[in-house]
Amino acid sequence: MIFKRRGSRLQRSYMVSYLLIFLIPLIVITIFIYQSAVKSLRTEIEQSNVNQLNQVRMTIDGRMTELRDIAIRMSYDNSLTRYMVKHPYYSSEAIRRLDQYRANSAIIDDLLLYFHNDSVIYSSEGLSGLNVVFGKTYKFNSWDQQQIKRDLNEIKYPLTRPADGVTVNSRQSSMLVHMVPIKPTDAYPYATVVYLINESRLTGMMDSVLSDFTGNSYIFDNNGHVLTANSHDAPPTPLELSTLAELKSGIHNMELGGKQQSVVAVESQENGWTYVTTMPSDQFFSRIFHVQTLIVLIFALVALAGIPVALMLARRQYGPLRDLVEFAQSRSTGAGSSPVRHPVADSSMHNEWAWIRETLLHYRDQVGLQQPYVRHQCLLMLMKHGQPDDPETVRLIDGLGLRGEGLQYFVMIVSGDALATRAANTTAASNVELLDETVSPYLSLPDVLSEVALPELGAHLYGVEYSSSNRLALAVCWQPQKDREQETSMCSIVEAVRELVRQHYGTVPTVGVGTSYTQLEMINQSFIEAATAMEYRVIGETSSVTYFNQLHQEEERSGSSQFWISNESLLKLSQSLKQGNIQVASHMIHTITAGVHAQSLPLPLMRCILFDLLNTVLRAASDAGLLGSLRDMPQVSAFETAEELEGQLQMLAIRICECAEHKQETEQVSLMDQIVAYVEEQYADYALSLEGMAQQFSISSSYLSRTFKEKTGVTFSQYIWQLRRDEVIRQITETDHPLKDIIVRVGYLDTANFIRKFKKEMGCTPGQYRKLHHGEEEQSALEIRDSIS
C-alpha cells in the first residue's frame, strides 16, 4: 500500500512534468504572439497618429500660408495705402477691401490693418482708435496697451502670440494673434496686418483630423511656447511641457504625469512650429481587446486539446519507469540478488527515485566487478571456439583492443608444475617464509599475468585460466618488427614472460607456444597447438619451452617418410578433441585426409596411412567414454576412400567434443557443488578463507573465486557474509542469547565491525532489529486476541 501511494505520487509528478513541458512552451509562444500583436498594433496606432499629425500640420500650415499671402496681396493693394484709407472719399473702398480679405480665410475672426506710429487701426468694420479696439472691443488678459503698440510698430517678421484669454464685447474667449509686417519681405515695413484667430478654430481643426484621439495635442512655436493646446487627459507640468517642446520629429515613449505615454512629434518646415500629441500607453490595450480575446480563445482551445494528449503520453511513457520502480522496490525488499529484509531500509528510502538510484549504483558496481570475468569468458571463448557469431560478443572482444593493422596473434600456455615441484622440495626448516608462499604455488600467477604490456617488444598479453589445473593460457597480441625475425621476436616475448614469473616465484615455468597467425579468428588454432606443445615436451626438463613448430622440425630431423601423417598433426587433432574444440578438430581431420588423398597413393597404402588418423580419433573417443564408438569400429574401418573416412570421423569428432565439454562442465559443477555445500556447513569457522579452500580442493584461488562467483552470483566473502548475517538474524529473532555471543558463534571475532556492516546494509543495528521484530510480534498477538474476542 505504501508503494502504491508513492507510485501514484511519482506518476502525478511525471504527469505534471509532461503538462509543464506542454504548457510552458505554449504559454511562452502565446505571450510572444500577444506581445508581437500588441507591438504591431501599437506601431500601427502610433504610425497612424504620425500620419494624422502630419495632416494637421499640413492643414494648419496651409492656413497660415494663406494669411501670409493675404498680407502680401494687401501690401500691393493700392486701395490700402496710408493715403487711400484716410481719404474721405476712398476710405470706404479701403474698408470694403479689408472685408473681402477677411472673408478669404476661414480661420480668422477679424482682420486689422495698422500703420506704424498711427493712433488708429482699420478693420472691416471701419476706422477705430487703437485704444478702443484693444481696450474695449478686444481686451486681452496678458497683452496690455503699451505692449500692443510696441509689437505693432516694431515687428519685422511674422509673429504669433500664444492663445490668450480675451473679452470680446463682454464675452470671454481664447484667441491667438498672428501679426505679419508689410511688406513682409521689406527690411523696413510700414504697416502690420493683425489676424485674430479663435483658438477653438485650430483645436477643432485638430480634433477633426485626429478623429477619436483621446490624448493631448499641442502646437509649439519656434521658441518653445505653447501656441494652443487641446487636452483630453491630465495636463502635464511646465517642466514636462518644456521637454515636449524640445522633441525632434518622431515617436517617443516617456513618462508624463506619472503615466507612461506614447508621444508623437512633427516639426513644420514652413514656420518652425512643432506639433505634438501624447497618448497614455494603457489606451493601446483597450484598442487590442479583440486581439486579446482571439488569442485567449485560441490558447484555451489548444490547451483543452493538448492537455489530454499530454496526460495520455505521460501515462503511456510512465510504463517503463513504473516497471523500473517496481523492480527497484522488489530488490530493496528482498527480491533481488542482495535481499534487504529489514523494513527500516524501506523507510530510509525517501521515494522511488532513491530506489532507482540505489539500484543503478548497485548494478554499476556489479558491472565493474564483472568486467574481468567478461573479459575472461570472451578470451576463453575466442581461444576454444574461434570467432563467435554473436555480434555482442564480437563487440566485447573488439573492445579489448586486440584488432589492429599488422598485428599477429599466438597463444602460450604457462604451467605451474615447476612451482609446485619447487614447493615440494623446499623444507620448512630451511625456508619457512618461502614455503608459506608456495604452499599454493598457483595462488597469484593469474593475477600476475592477467594483463601484461611489453611495449619494448610491441606485445600485449592477456591471461586466461581454462581449467582447474595449474595451467594459464596467454593470448599474445604483438606487432612484428622489421629488423628482427619472427621467431626471434616470439622467443623474446616468451622469455620476458618467464622472467616475470621468475621474479615472483624464483623459478621459471614450463611453457608451450603455438604458431603465430595474422588473423585473430585463428587464435583457437594457436591455443590447441600450444596445448599440444605443452604435452609433447620435446625437452625433458620441466622448466622448458616447447614450440609447436619444433615438433615438425623434429620429425624432419628424424627422417620420417613423407607418406605418413605427421605426429604434429595427430597431436594437434588429439588435443583439440580433448579440449572439445570442434572447429580445430574438424579442420585437422579435413587437412589430414585431403593431404593423404592429394598424394594419389594406392588404396592399400592409403588405408594403412589413414589408420593412424582413425586410431587417434578412436583413442580420443575411448578417453571421452564413448564405448559405443569402439563397438562400431568394424563399420568405421571399412572405408574405401579418404572422403568416406572423413565423413564418418567428422560425425564422431562432434560426439567426442560434445562429450568432452559436457564432462568438463559436469566436473566443474560437481566440484562447485561440493565447495558450496562445504561452505554452508563450515561458514561459522572464523579461519575459513578462499586460499584455504583452494588448497583443500587442489585448485587455484583465482579459479575458485571466478567459478564460485559464476555459481552463486556473489563473491566468496559476500556469500559467507550473507550466511553469517542470516544466522545472526535468525538467532536474535528466535532466541534471547546475548548479541555478542551470537556474533562470535557465527564466526565473527570483530563484533564492532560486524555491527557497522550490519547497520550499513540493513539500516539498523542488530539490537534495534531485535526490538523492532519483537514489537511487530506483540502487535500481531494483540491483533489476534482482538479478533478472537
Side-chain angles (χ1 to χ4, degrees):
M1 187 64 66
I2 294 176
F3 172 70
K4 291 183 178 179
R5 182 176 70 252
R6 290 184 175 179
S8 63
R9 184 173 67 247
L10 178 60
Q11 186 174 6
R12 287 195 299 270
S13 301
Y14 199 72
M15 289 183 174
V16 168
S17 65
Y18 263 74
L19 289 177
L20 292 177
I21 292 174
F22 166 70
L23 290 176
I24 290 178
L26 180 60
I27 292 173
V28 171
I29 292 174
T30 302
I31 293 175
F32 175 76
I33 294 175
Y34 177 75
Q35 294 291 343
S36 298
V38 170
K39 184 177 180 180
S40 177
L41 188 58
R42 180 183 184 128
T43 303
E44 182 179 349
I45 293 174
E46 289 176 339
Q47 190 60 43
S48 176
N49 289 342
V50 171
N51 296 336
Q52 291 176 346
L53 195 58
N54 275 320
Q55 188 175 353
V56 169
R57 175 189 60 79
M58 289 187 295
T59 302
I60 295 179
D61 283 355
R63 296 292 182 268
M64 301 308 294
T65 301
E66 290 178 359
L67 299 183
R68 185 192 60 186
D69 294 341
I70 291 173
I72 292 174
R73 291 200 301 271
M74 289 174 61
S75 65
Y76 291 99
D77 194 337
N78 293 328
S79 301
L80 295 178
T81 62
R82 186 189 294 265
Y83 171 78
M84 295 296 290
V85 296
K86 290 186 177 182
H87 195 280
Y89 178 75
Y90 297 109
S91 60
S92 59
E93 179 63 18
I95 299 303
R96 186 178 64 81
R97 295 290 295 174
L98 285 175
D99 186 56
Q100 291 178 353
Y101 284 120
R102 185 186 65 81
N104 288 337
S105 178
I107 67 170
I108 61 176
D109 287 302
D110 202 355
L111 185 148
L112 303 175
L113 178 60
Y114 174 76
F115 292 97
H116 291 179
N117 300 319
D118 203 345
S119 61
V120 296
I121 193 168
Y122 304 89
S123 67
S124 58
E125 300 296 331
L127 177 64
S128 300
L130 188 61
N131 294 333
V132 174
V133 173
F134 291 103
K136 294 182 179 180
T137 305
Y138 300 103
K139 187 176 183 181
F140 290 88
N141 294 340
S142 58
W143 200 23
D144 56 26
Q145 295 285 337
Q146 183 178 359
Q147 189 176 4
I148 291 172
K149 189 172 183 180
R150 184 177 66 251
D151 290 341
L152 293 177
N153 285 285
E154 295 181 359
I155 66 167
K156 298 183 181 297
Y157 305 99
L159 175 65
T160 303
R161 285 186 51 82
D164 191 10
V166 59
T167 303
V168 182
N169 297 325
S170 302
R171 289 183 298 102
Q172 289 294 324
S173 181
S174 179
M175 287 188 172
L176 288 85
V177 178
H178 182 63
M179 295 175 288
V180 181
I182 55 175
K183 296 178 181 181
T185 58
D186 197 343
Y188 301 98
Y190 61 88
T192 302
V193 179
V194 181
Y195 301 100
L196 300 179
I197 306 171
N198 198 308
E199 185 181 16
S200 61
R201 295 184 182 275
L202 295 181
T203 56
M205 191 182 305
M206 296 173 67
D207 286 342
S208 63
V209 175
L210 295 176
S211 178
D212 56 349
F213 182 74
T214 56
N216 298 336
S217 56
Y218 306 92
I219 300 178
F220 296 93
D221 63 10
N222 47 11
N223 293 320
H225 301 143
V226 179
L227 297 178
T228 181
N230 193 7
S231 299
H232 299 282
D233 197 6
T237 63
L239 181 60
E240 292 173 342
L241 277 177
S242 62
T243 303
L244 294 176
E246 297 174 355
L247 293 178
K248 301 296 182 181
S249 296
I251 301 173
H252 309 274
N253 292 314
M254 55 193 306
E255 185 175 342
L256 299 174
K259 295 188 298 184
Q260 197 67 24
Q261 304 272 350
S262 175
V263 181
V264 177
V266 174
E267 187 176 354
S268 173
Q269 300 298 328
E270 295 291 334
N271 47 31
W273 292 0
T274 302
Y275 298 81
V276 178
T277 59
T278 63
M279 175 185 288
S281 297
D282 55 8
Q283 293 187 16
F284 291 105
F285 297 100
S286 63
R287 297 192 181 189
I288 62 170
F289 177 76
H290 63 286
V291 177
Q292 183 179 10
T293 304
L294 179 61
I295 292 177
V296 170
L297 180 61
I298 295 176
F299 174 81
L301 292 175
V302 175
L304 290 176
I307 288 176
V309 175
L311 293 176
M312 181 183 69
L313 290 176
R315 186 178 182 86
R316 188 172 183 179
Q317 297 297 326
Y318 179 71
L321 185 62
R322 181 182 60 249
D323 296 339
L324 183 59
V325 171
E326 292 175 354
F327 171 75
Q329 193 237 7
S330 65
R331 177 188 172 276
S332 66
T333 55
S337 60
S338 300
V340 181
R341 297 177 173 81
H342 197 281
V344 174
D346 291 344
S347 62
S348 65
M349 298 290 185
H350 299 293
N351 49 41
E352 289 75 12
W353 294 117
W355 291 341
I356 295 174
R357 188 182 304 108
E358 290 290 331
T359 302
L360 293 178
L361 291 176
H362 169 75
Y363 282 103
R364 185 191 66 179
D365 296 338
Q366 291 296 319
V367 169
L369 293 174
Q370 291 292 340
Q371 284 181 351
Y373 298 98
V374 172
R375 186 184 69 180
H376 179 277
Q377 292 298 331
C378 289
L379 288 172
L380 190 61
M381 181 183 299
L382 191 63
M383 286 192 289
K384 281 194 171 184
H385 304 288
Q387 178 71 32
D389 297 330
D390 181 25
E392 185 65 21
T393 306
V394 174
R395 186 186 64 82
L396 292 174
I397 292 175
D398 291 340
L400 298 176
L402 295 176
R403 299 187 189 273
E405 185 177 356
L407 295 179
Q408 291 194 19
Y409 312 92
F410 70 92
V411 175
M412 53 187 298
I413 294 179
V414 179
S415 173
D417 296 340
L419 307 181
T421 302
R422 177 172 177 264
N425 295 331
T426 304
T427 59
S430 61
N431 197 335
V432 176
E433 181 180 359
L434 183 60
L435 179 62
D436 292 337
E437 293 178 355
T438 58
V439 165
S440 180
Y442 205 53
L443 178 63
S444 60
L445 187 59
D447 297 330
V448 173
L449 300 180
S450 62
E451 185 173 357
V452 179
L454 302 174
E456 67 279 1
L457 299 176
H460 207 101
L461 294 82
Y462 299 90
V464 178
E465 284 182 279
Y466 63 94
S467 69
S468 59
S469 59
N470 294 347
R471 299 290 172 85
L472 186 71
L474 293 178
V476 182
C477 171
W478 67 294
Q479 181 76 51
Q481 300 177 7
K482 297 180 179 179
D483 56 344
R484 300 182 66 182
E485 294 183 357
Q486 180 172 317
E487 293 184 0
T488 305
S489 299
M490 291 179 61
C491 291
S492 300
I493 295 173
V494 172
E495 292 303 321
V497 172
R498 299 181 75 205
E499 176 63 21
L500 183 62
V501 175
R502 189 194 63 79
Q503 292 176 1
H504 284 81
Y505 289 92
T507 185
V508 291
T510 301
V511 179
V513 184
T515 306
S516 182
Y517 293 93
T518 57
Q519 294 180 348
L520 181 62
E521 291 76 9
M522 299 294 294
I523 200 171
N524 60 335
Q525 296 275 356
S526 184
F527 172 73
I528 296 298
E529 293 168 356
T532 303
M534 177 61 69
E535 290 197 0
Y536 190 78
R537 299 187 184 182
V538 293
I539 302 177
E541 299 178 2
T542 55
S543 300
S544 62
V545 179
T546 304
Y547 293 88
F548 180 76
N549 56 9
Q550 291 178 352
L551 304 183
H552 181 65
Q553 296 172 2
E554 183 68 19
E555 184 175 320
E556 290 179 348
R557 288 194 298 269
S558 65
S560 298
S561 175
Q562 61 179 346
F563 298 116
W564 304 103
I565 303 173
S566 64
N567 289 334
E568 170 194 3
S569 299
L570 294 177
L571 286 171
K572 187 174 179 181
L573 174 60
S574 176
Q575 188 62 227
S576 62
L577 292 173
K578 289 180 181 180
Q579 297 288 342
N581 195 323
I582 185 60
Q583 289 88 352
V584 178
S586 177
H587 172 74
M588 291 307 302
I589 291 174
H590 175 73
T591 302
I592 293 172
T593 55
V596 173
H597 178 74
Q599 296 183 36
S600 300
L601 300 174
L603 179 60
L605 180 58
M606 181 189 70
R607 287 173 56 85
C608 291
I609 294 174
L610 289 177
F611 266 111
D612 286 344
L613 173 62
L614 178 59
N615 290 332
T616 301
V617 176
L618 291 177
R619 188 182 302 111
S622 177
D623 294 339
L626 296 177
L627 300 179
S629 299
L630 299 179
R631 287 193 295 267
D632 297 337
M633 180 178 176
Q635 180 181 354
V636 176
S637 61
F639 62 92
E640 296 295 334
T641 64
E643 291 82 359
E644 181 181 350
L645 177 63
E646 179 184 354
Q648 294 178 356
L649 293 183
Q650 290 283 10
M651 292 187 292
L652 183 57
I654 293 175
R655 294 174 57 193
I656 295 173
C657 291
E658 290 177 350
C659 183
E661 285 191 352
H662 178 71
K663 184 179 180 181
Q664 292 175 3
E665 293 175 356
T666 303
E667 291 177 352
Q668 177 178 324
V669 171
S670 176
L671 177 63
M672 294 314 300
D673 287 339
Q674 296 177 29
I675 293 175
V676 171
Y678 182 85
V679 170
E680 291 178 350
E681 291 178 0
Q682 303 295 329
Y683 70 89
D685 183 2
Y686 67 89
L688 189 65
S689 65
L690 179 68
E691 291 76 12
M693 292 290 295
Q695 182 180 357
Q696 181 174 349
F697 285 89
S698 301
I699 58 177
S700 66
S701 57
S702 56
Y703 178 80
L704 173 61
S705 176
R706 186 183 73 256
T707 52
F708 192 93
K709 177 75 177 294
E710 295 172 353
K711 174 69 176 179
T712 62
V714 294
T715 63
F716 184 83
S717 60
Q718 289 174 338
Y719 193 76
I720 294 178
W721 158 255
Q722 291 178 4
L723 293 174
R724 292 174 175 175
R725 179 202 62 195
D726 294 344
E727 179 62 19
V728 168
I729 292 177
R730 187 191 67 80
Q731 293 192 32
I732 63 177
T733 55
E734 297 179 1
T735 68
D736 295 329
H737 297 163
L739 179 61
K740 184 176 181 180
D741 294 345
I742 294 174
I743 295 175
V744 172
R745 278 201 298 268
V746 300
Y748 246 98
L749 300 181
D750 190 350
T751 305
N753 183 43
F754 179 88
I755 294 175
R756 284 195 300 269
K757 191 172 182 179
F758 187 95
K759 183 177 181 181
K760 181 179 180 181
E761 182 171 329
M762 304 298 292
C764 63
T765 64
Q768 293 171 341
Y769 189 96
R770 170 179 276 176
K771 292 180 181 179
L772 181 61
H773 182 76
H774 288 171
E776 291 178 350
E777 290 182 347
E778 294 175 359
Q779 181 66 25
S780 301
L782 290 175
E783 292 178 355
I784 294 173
R785 287 199 299 270
D786 293 342
S787 62
I788 294 175
S789 61

